[in-house]
Amino acid sequence: MLRDITIGQYFPGNSIVHKMDPRAKILVGLIYIFILFAASNFLSLLSGVVFIVGAVILSGVSLKLLKKSIDPMIPLLGISLIFNIFLTDGNVLWKIGILKITDRGIWAALFMCIRLVCLVIGTYIFTYTTSIMQITHGLEQLLNPLNKLNFPVQEIAMTMTIALRFIPTLVEEADKIISAQKARGADMDSGSIIKRVKSRIPILIPLFMASFQRADEFTLAMSCRCYDGGNTRTYLEKLKYKKYDLFLFICTGVTGALVIYINTIIPKVFY
């Protein structure tokens, strides 16, 4: 399961989404998050679904890879289903003790699952099509006005991108530690959920030790390359908005306006 977590990885390509300006992708991503959480009914949520389907097609990312990426989210989706089904008021369809399933609960659970899946797919599309250097450069350019307030823009952008980059590295390290524990006779795949969770607690200490070691090596490597943060840094390539960046901006803005309009004519009915 850990090997399926691929967030933070970059897959080179020549699609329109790959060629987009990273600043445009960050802004489009923020607007898309607003679209998903502003949607209050299935018709407005459908706009977000259509948008992300279009992004998947334009990015050229395989459906098999996306399915593999969503698999680790299944436990979270299951928890969301349970909470929404049993804690949403409505017409009771089934009841036993204090637990009850309502019609609005079923719709709310389905609505939330679709929203979460779209959010996860959007996040993966962004990381799959944008390199770490592009993310850093894009964040710096977007936050550049804050330099006038003595805000450490470059350092914050670098910290965020390094954290994102090290997610797959830490996942790989955790998988190696689990494999080593199993080779020594540890049983981590049997018993109740609580027992399986407790059996994984011993991997935390070696994982933290490995993380600190990698962080120290990374710091030393940056120092050896004379890395110096601050506003004096320059880039080999200059960021320039392109025509399809403007086109996707317009598409995203139209989708957001459509969601707001649908919300005004159709009431919030599910939760």
Side-chain angles (χ1 to χ4, degrees):
M1 184 66 73
L2 287 175
R3 295 175 182 175
D4 295 333
I5 301 177
T6 55
I7 188 171
Q9 295 186 13
Y10 170 65
F11 297 93
N14 295 315
S15 68
I16 293 177
V17 180
H18 280 86
K19 296 178 181 178
M20 281 182 64
D21 190 293
R23 295 170 296 178
K25 280 191 271 191
I26 293 172
L27 292 175
V28 167
L30 292 175
I31 297 173
Y32 180 65
I33 293 174
F34 165 78
I35 289 172
L36 288 180
F37 285 93
S40 59
N41 53 71
F42 276 102
L43 187 57
S44 58
L45 184 63
L46 180 62
S47 302
V49 174
V50 172
F51 183 89
I52 198 62
V53 169
V56 171
I57 295 173
L58 292 176
S59 67
V61 176
S62 68
L63 297 178
K64 183 178 180 181
L65 179 60
L66 287 176
K67 179 184 178 300
K68 181 181 178 181
S69 304
I70 294 174
D71 285 343
M73 298 298 298
I74 292 178
L76 177 61
L77 294 176
I79 294 173
S80 176
L81 277 171
I82 293 173
F83 273 90
N84 281 281
I85 287 178
F86 289 108
L87 299 180
T88 304
D89 294 328
N91 298 322
V92 179
L93 302 177
W94 178 85
K95 183 176 181 180
I96 178 171
I98 62 174
L99 299 178
K100 61 180 180 180
I101 296 178
T102 64
D103 54 349
R104 294 181 64 187
I106 294 175
W107 287 115
L110 180 60
F111 185 90
M112 184 58 67
C113 284
I114 295 174
R115 173 185 282 172
L116 289 176
V117 169
C118 289
L119 182 62
V120 171
I121 292 177
T123 303
Y124 278 111
I125 290 296
F126 175 71
T127 58
Y128 287 167
T129 60
T130 315
S131 67
I132 296 299
M133 289 303 300
Q134 289 177 330
I135 296 175
T136 304
H137 199 178
L139 282 174
E140 285 183 26
Q141 293 297 312
L142 289 175
L143 299 176
N144 195 49
L146 295 178
N147 279 322
K148 297 180 180 179
L149 302 176
N150 295 323
F151 190 78
V153 171
Q154 200 280 328
E155 288 81 358
I156 294 297
M158 179 61 71
T159 302
M160 292 174 62
T161 50
I162 289 175
L164 183 64
R165 171 61 184 86
F166 267 80
I167 291 176
T169 303
L170 292 178
V171 169
E172 181 182 357
E173 193 70 38
D175 189 64
K176 289 180 180 179
I177 295 172
I178 291 175
S179 298
Q181 295 281 3
K182 289 182 179 179
R184 292 175 174 85
D187 185 10
M188 298 184 177
D189 299 323
S190 62
S192 63
I193 295 178
I194 297 177
K195 183 179 179 180
R196 279 181 283 177
V197 171
K198 287 182 177 179
S199 65
R200 282 169 168 76
I201 292 178
I203 75 170
L204 295 179
I205 294 178
L207 182 60
F208 275 115
M209 295 297 294
S211 301
F212 287 129
Q213 182 179 356
R214 287 184 177 272
D216 184 64
E217 293 173 352
F218 187 78
T219 303
L220 181 61
M222 293 178 70
S223 299
C224 292
R225 290 167 174 79
C226 300
Y227 174 82
D228 182 20
N231 301 329
T232 58
R233 295 189 69 240
T234 59
Y235 287 88
L236 180 63
E237 297 181 1
K238 297 291 185 180
L239 295 180
K240 294 182 180 179
Y241 287 110
K242 305 173 184 66
K243 292 182 179 180
Y244 42 77
D245 292 326
L246 178 60
F247 172 75
L248 290 173
F249 262 131
I250 294 174
C251 291
T252 310
V254 169
T255 304
L258 182 62
V259 168
I260 295 174
Y261 174 73
I262 293 174
N263 287 342
T264 59
I265 62 175
I266 298 179
K268 185 178 181 180
V269 292
F270 296 116
Y271 59 95

